[in-house]
Amino acid sequence: MIDCAQVRAMLRRGETPGGPEVAAHVSTCPACSELIAAPGIAGGLDAIASAATGDIDALLARTKARLALEQGWRARVRASSTGLRNAIAALVIVGIPLLVLVTSPRADLGVYPAMRLIGEGLAYVLTALAAAVLALWPLHATERPTARVGTAIAAIGAAIVIASWPAAHHDHPAALAGAGADFVPRALGCLMYGTICGLPVWLALRVLTRRGATLGGDAWLVAFAAAGSGAAAVFLHCPIAYVGHRWAGHVAVLVVLAAWAAWHVYRGRER
Amino acid sequence: MRRLSGESSSCGRDTGMVPPRMVPAEQSDEALMAAYVAGDPLAFDRLFVRWAPRIRQIYVRSGLGSDQADDLVQQCFLQVHRARSDFQPERRLHPWIYTIALNLRRQLFRSRGRKPEQGLDVEVHEPRAPSIDPDAPFVGALVRTALAKLPDPQREVIVLHWFEGMSFAEIAAVLGGTVTAHKVRAHRGYGRLRAELEAAGVTADVLRHYGGDSRG
């Protein structure tokens, strides 16, 4: 059976494709059907078929000058395989909450329902991992158009649901703090703690991404990854059950890092 | 100066870079990329000479100006360099490099939050065959403008289908999505292009005059 290439060749020769084979192809190819119905389009497109390519030697020289700047450990890291870059990112994203869990776990760890603890921790970490994978997504692979929006919704949704969820227990004195006069200092403390825990993820992803100096729209993904890891860390550290504290101290980590991302994107557009 | 001429023996000559080495002239893209990954810089020069003109044409045809197209070509090869460890020699290079090129273009528009430039860049126009018709650049500019007015997904499919001669299966591999979806996009794109040109007063007879080997 005839194919698109043969139809294009006939149109370029000024012929009008016809016959049973063309009819069979056109029945499955609406694009060729349109081209055959309006053969003048072929001529119009061929009028710009050979746009000039500029001075290719000069372009090569400029490109090689840019490549010559690709030196040092940062260049080596971002040129490593996507599998390795994802593994490093995952190590940082998972490692920080685990480090917090080992070194300064929440005081009520013994009475907190285990399955809920694992579920909430995983929700933060998995959304952070998803955001990191998309931030490090290689340009030579096609990305699902809904992946970014889906990850953003999942990251924001996880933070909101976990913060708004009824308290798991009131069986530990540490869970009752942060609701009165110490609301502001404790909320600020958690906000700083979570943001600082998220910073290594931000820095790691900046080094690992192949975009280089400007993150562009990927800054949002980097922020969600950093916020997910930071929020997981503060969740594993802070036992306070008061919903207002969890919003102001825990969800605000996401807000601060998202604001940082917005500033990056704005600055990138200004350039 | 060299213009869209495919490979020549001048690789690295004008650039003061690497002197010519033992890379067979007819080496496949995949073999050249494998050689580059293995550390042969001349292979990069050859890939560049082979692919940069095509990538640049895609950018120009899809509505970018010459300077922006040049800049994106450089970025494209910078990304090829950074992603070289991801390249699998058993897979074909051309969908790989096209995908990088088109994703970069999309990133550019996304980061700047604006639409492609109007394609009135007459500087880049070179008629496909020798022509003495003074209207040729004008018609080319109209076609380029009409192409620039198309929605991005339709324009991408037309550029790959008509100019790059790709099948819809190859287009789906480069852009993602299904073969059927791209066929429908191309159908709508060609139809809209025709409507845009007719609205600009360019008739089918005029267009036919500029296409095909049969023109005068």
Side-chain angles (χ1 to χ4, degrees):
Chain A
M1 197 174 84
I2 211 163
D3 61 13
C4 290
Q6 289 164 294
V7 171
R8 281 193 299 264
M10 282 189 252
L11 288 168
R12 283 195 163 117
R13 287 197 298 268
E15 298 169 10
T16 304
E21 284 193 322
V22 171
H25 172 70
V26 163
S27 69
T28 63
C29 183
C32 286
S33 161
E34 179 66 35
L35 281 169
I36 292 168
I41 290 296
L45 289 169
D46 273 3
I48 60 164
S50 54
T53 55
D55 183 349
I56 220 68
D57 284 335
L59 198 54
L60 174 60
R62 289 205 297 274
T63 306
K64 294 194 84 167
R66 280 175 83 156
L67 287 186
L69 300 174
E70 290 286 300
Q71 303 285 340
W73 68 272
R74 281 187 173 198
R76 276 199 299 279
V77 168
R78 64 175 164 236
S80 54
S81 70
T82 297
L84 180 59
R85 292 183 304 127
N86 281 334
I88 295 170
L91 202 66
V92 180
I93 287 169
V94 177
I96 289 166
L98 281 181
L99 190 68
V100 167
L101 189 62
V102 171
T103 57
S104 58
R106 51 192 299 159
D108 64 342
L109 196 62
V111 294
Y112 202 93
M115 291 312 290
R116 182 164 161 177
L117 184 88
I118 293 168
E120 291 180 17
L122 274 180
Y124 281 129
V125 168
L126 289 179
T127 52
L129 287 173
V133 166
L134 284 175
L136 301 179
W137 195 261
L139 276 175
H140 57 81
T142 49
E143 185 185 307
R144 282 187 175 276
T146 52
R148 284 167 183 258
V149 175
T151 302
I153 290 170
I156 295 167
I160 290 172
V161 167
I162 292 170
S164 311
W165 212 252
H169 69 87
H170 291 99
D171 302 335
H172 196 284
L176 306 175
D182 60 346
F183 170 75
V184 172
R186 284 188 183 268
L188 274 177
C190 277
L191 176 60
M192 283 182 64
Y193 191 90
T195 307
I196 289 169
C197 285
L199 279 182
V201 175
W202 181 289
L203 295 172
L205 290 177
R206 275 209 69 151
V207 172
L208 291 165
T209 180
R210 287 179 178 151
R211 284 190 70 123
T214 55
L215 283 170
D218 289 350
W220 292 106
L221 294 168
V222 172
F224 288 134
S229 186
V234 79
F235 164 71
L236 291 172
H237 172 74
C238 171
I240 295 172
Y242 177 48
V243 172
H245 170 85
R246 283 186 276 163
W247 271 90
H250 300 197
V251 177
V253 174
L254 179 65
V255 175
V256 166
L257 290 168
W260 198 347
W263 179 72
H264 261 268
V265 171
Y266 172 76
R267 211 178 55 159
R269 285 187 181 172
E270 285 296 295
R271 282 179 189 161
Chain B
M1 188 171 94
R2 184 174 7 163
R3 284 180 183 273
L4 210 175
S5 54
E7 296 197 45
S8 81
S9 59
S10 64
C11 286
R13 183 192 61 200
D14 301 333
T15 59
M17 301 290 167
V18 184
R21 276 200 252 153
M22 299 301 290
V23 176
E26 296 306 318
Q27 213 168 0
S28 69
D29 290 335
E30 293 72 25
L32 280 174
M33 190 65 196
Y36 181 56
V37 173
D40 182 353
L42 183 62
F44 180 86
D45 290 14
R46 287 187 174 271
L47 276 174
F48 190 93
V49 170
R50 198 177 279 183
W51 277 96
R54 297 172 73 172
I55 301 295
R56 190 179 187 280
Q57 286 199 331
I58 288 178
Y59 289 144
V60 171
R61 284 175 191 138
S62 56
L64 289 176
S66 305
D67 291 343
Q68 273 193 327
D70 282 351
D71 190 52
L72 270 196
V73 168
Q74 288 180 59
Q75 285 188 43
C76 179
F77 280 88
L78 186 64
Q79 291 298 329
V80 167
H81 170 78
R82 286 177 180 168
R84 64 194 186 281
S85 55
D86 281 341
F87 180 70
Q88 298 167 299
E90 67 274 11
R91 303 186 72 169
R92 297 181 70 192
L93 181 76
H94 90 261
W96 198 80
I97 204 164
Y98 275 127
T99 308
I100 290 178
L102 291 171
N103 278 336
L104 271 173
R105 190 180 146 280
R106 273 189 222 130
Q107 265 185 6
L108 174 77
F109 293 140
R110 201 162 50 201
S111 67
R112 295 191 178 175
R114 62 172 181 77
K115 292 196 172 294
E117 292 180 347
Q118 293 290 297
L120 284 167
D121 195 349
V122 179
E123 176 270 317
V124 296
H125 182 91
E126 283 181 358
R128 189 162 168 255
S131 171
I132 55 168
D133 190 334
D135 289 339
F138 178 66
V139 171
L142 284 176
V143 173
R144 210 186 312 279
T145 303
L147 201 55
K149 282 183 182 172
L150 295 182
D152 217 30
Q154 292 176 9
R155 182 174 45 250
E156 280 181 346
V157 175
I158 287 179
V159 166
L160 295 180
H161 182 247
W162 182 266
F163 295 109
E164 299 304 313
M166 284 189 185
S167 68
F168 284 107
E170 289 172 319
I171 292 170
V174 169
L175 298 177
T178 64
V179 168
T180 308
H182 291 304
K183 281 182 178 178
V184 171
R185 275 189 195 128
H187 166 71
R188 288 181 182 155
Y190 285 127
R192 197 160 164 178
L193 193 60
R194 176 170 50 130
E196 289 282 353
L197 289 170
E198 282 173 1
V202 184
T203 63
D205 285 342
V206 172
L207 290 172
R208 200 176 284 124
H209 170 72
Y210 291 98
D213 297 334
S214 59
R215 65 188 165 203

